[in-house]
Amino acid sequence: MTRSVRRADLKAVGEIRRSLRELMRHRCRSDAADVAELLITELVTNALVHTEQGAEVSASLAATRLRVEVRDYASRRPRPYVPTADDGTHGRGLVLVQELADEWGVDTLARGAGKVVWFELEA
């Protein structure tokens, strides 16, 4: 699955979740699909809210391992942020990825071309 998302197109997040669910539907546990949907939502939303351009989203399934990558065009590396109690629901995205993914990371692209935030799950 590969999708391009325009800058600030938050409506696309739901479409991406549905595409991921379809990719995983017959090959993965439903609990893994639920976690994957949550994590892809967090990464895509972060890319759209915290950068000036859109994002490229890809998901691939090899045997029982799911890999999701979200590329944006900002070189600034994201950092997990533990919000205070009065932050509401804001700021928990990378903490969720860190806690729920089997593996995750950030790869900075050459010459200021942005970064890829990724996660992997046993599916």
Side-chain angles (χ1 to χ4, degrees):
M1 173 191 102
T2 303
R3 297 278 189 277
S4 294
V5 184
R6 293 186 320 267
R7 178 177 176 256
D9 184 8
L10 295 175
K11 291 180 188 176
V13 176
E15 296 168 12
I16 289 168
R17 269 195 323 264
R18 285 186 290 280
S19 294
L20 182 63
R21 172 70 67 174
E22 184 62 28
L23 173 69
M24 298 179 76
R25 183 168 52 137
H26 296 295
R27 298 174 56 191
C28 305
R29 302 180 330 265
S30 65
D31 61 323
D34 293 341
V35 170
E37 284 185 64
L38 173 64
L39 300 185
I40 200 170
T41 298
E42 295 296 337
L43 293 187
V44 173
T45 301
N46 282 351
L48 296 179
V49 168
H50 298 292
T51 67
E52 297 297 318
Q53 296 178 336
E56 303 294 324
V57 181
S58 65
S60 58
L61 195 54
T64 61
R65 189 114 179 135
L66 172 72
R67 182 175 176 96
V68 171
E69 298 181 349
V70 179
R71 176 185 184 221
D72 64 48
Y73 299 91
S75 297
R76 185 177 64 255
R77 291 179 64 89
R79 283 178 265 154
Y81 163 74
V82 178
T84 61
D86 60 347
D87 277 345
T89 59
H90 178 71
R92 291 173 171 80
L94 283 179
V95 172
L96 288 171
V97 173
Q98 187 175 24
E99 292 299 316
L100 297 175
D102 293 320
E103 293 184 52
W104 80 281
V106 180
D107 299 330
T108 304
L109 302 175
R111 291 180 234 113
K115 66 183 168 298
V116 175
V117 183
W118 58 270
F119 70 85
E120 293 184 357
L121 288 174
E122 287 297 323

